[in-house]
């Protein structure tokens, strides 16, 4: 089945540094990837939608200059948390959508990575 | 507006009990998809089911069953004869313009 690889699974960084998280679709092409953030005991909140070859679309309240998203190829999207602070500590999960199938975008399968647990000290 | 509500924050049952997790959704779309995911303590999301808005047939998969009722905008999930391994957070989600909107999640604890 379709697999999405997310790396690293865990990262600890110092306040003020930047961290890059990678999301790769291993056996399918993903024109669109989504980045979610999940604080402890809370739901997954969509941060941004990443489209291959174009700028990401950010949800309201998400700082685009702080959370840099790059989707340079059909199989890779990266999220960089710049100048991380302790309040950015969270669980970040990506999902990748297979290229549109019959029935439109709604019918395209979504596949999730295993998540990255970021701790900023 | 698109919204998913899981009113039960936490549920605790004893092994072998049946348990139902509620999910109510809001959408103006006539075509939409609903999902259930399981998130164990390790954090990954485990896909359980996808249902499109045109298919109101209830589904059973082993100990899992789902009841989709468009009239009440609900998509409830029942685990029969629960087991300790069912302990996890369960999310209901609505697919809207290709992206998923998640409910708040229900933490299920199954005690031996």
């Amino acid at each position: 089945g379709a697999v999405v690889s997310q790396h690293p699974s865990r990262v600890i960084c110092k306040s003020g540094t930047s961290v890059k998280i990678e999301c790769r679709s291993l056996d399918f092409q993903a024109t669109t990837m989504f980045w979610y953030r999940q604080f402890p005991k809370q739901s997954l909140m969509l941060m941004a939608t990443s489209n291959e070859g174009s700028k990401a679309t950010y949800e309201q309240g998400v700082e685009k200059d702080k959370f840099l998203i790059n989707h340079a190829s059909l199989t890779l999207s990266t999220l960089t948390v710049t100048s991380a602070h302790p309040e950015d500590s969270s669980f970040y999960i990506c999902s990748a959508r297979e290229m549109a199938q019959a029935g439109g975008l709604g019918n395209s399968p979504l596949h999730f990575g295993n998540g990255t647990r970021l701790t900023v000290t | 507006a698109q919204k998913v509500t899981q009113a039960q924050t936490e549920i605790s049952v004893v092994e072998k009990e049946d348990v139902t997790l509620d999910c109510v959704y809001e959408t103006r779309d006539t075509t939409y998809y609903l999902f259930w995911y399981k998130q164990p303590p390790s954090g990954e999301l485990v896909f359980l089911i996808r249902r499109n808005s045109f298919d109101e047939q209830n589904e059973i998969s082993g100990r899992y069953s789902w009841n989709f009722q468009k009239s009440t905008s609900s998509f409830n999930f029942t685990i029969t004869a629960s087991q300790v391994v069912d302990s996890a957070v369960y999310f209901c989600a609505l697919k809207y313009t290709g992206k998923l909107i998640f409910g708040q999640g229900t933490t299920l604890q199954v005690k031996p």
Side-chain angles (χ1 to χ4, degrees):
Chain A
V3 176
V4 173
S5 173
Q6 189 172 339
H7 179 79
S9 57
R10 287 182 180 271
V11 58
I12 300 173
C13 71
K14 292 188 176 179
S15 188
T17 61
S18 296
V19 173
K20 181 186 284 189
I21 302 169
E22 292 187 349
C23 180
R24 291 181 186 275
S25 56
L26 296 185
D27 53 0
F28 65 96
Q29 292 185 326
T31 52
T32 304
M33 292 187 178
F34 303 92
W35 287 95
Y36 291 84
R37 179 169 54 184
Q38 184 182 28
F39 291 110
K41 297 190 183 299
Q42 293 190 24
S43 185
L44 288 84
M45 299 303 295
L46 181 65
M47 298 175 66
T49 302
S50 159
N51 292 300
E52 185 266 337
S54 64
K55 289 184 179 180
T57 304
Y58 290 81
E59 296 298 304
Q60 195 171 12
V62 177
E63 300 173 59
K64 61 179 70 174
D65 294 332
K66 180 167 185 61
F67 299 99
L68 301 179
I69 292 173
N70 184 282
H71 193 161
S73 78
L74 285 172
T75 58
L76 174 65
S77 176
T78 61
L79 167 67
T80 301
V81 183
T82 62
S83 187
H85 288 100
E87 57 265 31
D88 298 323
S89 298
S90 187
F91 191 59
Y92 293 86
I93 307 178
C94 71
S95 71
R97 183 171 69 199
E98 292 189 44
M99 296 181 78
Q101 299 181 0
L105 291 176
N107 202 32
S108 299
L110 280 176
H111 307 284
F112 282 87
N114 284 345
T116 297
R117 198 165 299 280
L118 170 64
T119 302
V120 184
T121 60
Chain B
Q2 325 293 323
K3 187 178 177 182
V4 177
T5 302
Q6 295 178 254
Q8 304 149 307
T9 306
E10 293 185 19
I11 301 176
S12 182
V13 299
V14 176
E15 207 170 18
K16 298 184 183 176
E17 285 184 19
D18 299 346
V19 58
T20 295
L21 283 62
D22 298 333
C23 173
V24 174
Y25 62 92
E26 294 176 32
T27 180
R28 292 197 193 115
D29 293 347
T30 54
T31 302
Y32 51 89
Y33 294 82
L34 295 164
F35 298 76
W36 275 95
Y37 286 89
K38 174 182 180 180
Q39 187 178 42
S42 49
E44 76 274 17
L45 285 176
V46 178
F47 168 81
L48 296 178
I49 190 172
R50 181 181 84 163
R51 178 50 51 97
N52 76 52
S53 52
F54 296 110
D55 182 3
E56 282 195 77
Q57 206 167 17
N58 291 331
E59 181 152 341
I60 298 174
S61 176
R63 296 185 296 107
Y64 295 169
S65 62
W66 291 268
N67 185 340
F68 179 27
Q69 299 273 347
K70 283 181 78 170
S71 59
T72 56
S73 297
S74 65
F75 186 41
N76 296 338
F77 172 34
T78 298
I79 301 174
T80 304
S82 59
Q83 299 175 1
V84 173
V85 293
D86 295 328
S87 298
V89 182
Y90 290 85
F91 289 99
C92 179
L94 169 70
K95 197 170 189 182
Y96 167 65
T97 62
K99 55 192 177 185
L100 286 183
I101 297 170
F102 287 87
Q104 301 91 320
T106 297
T107 299
L108 173 65
Q109 184 180 31
V110 182
K111 298 178 180 177

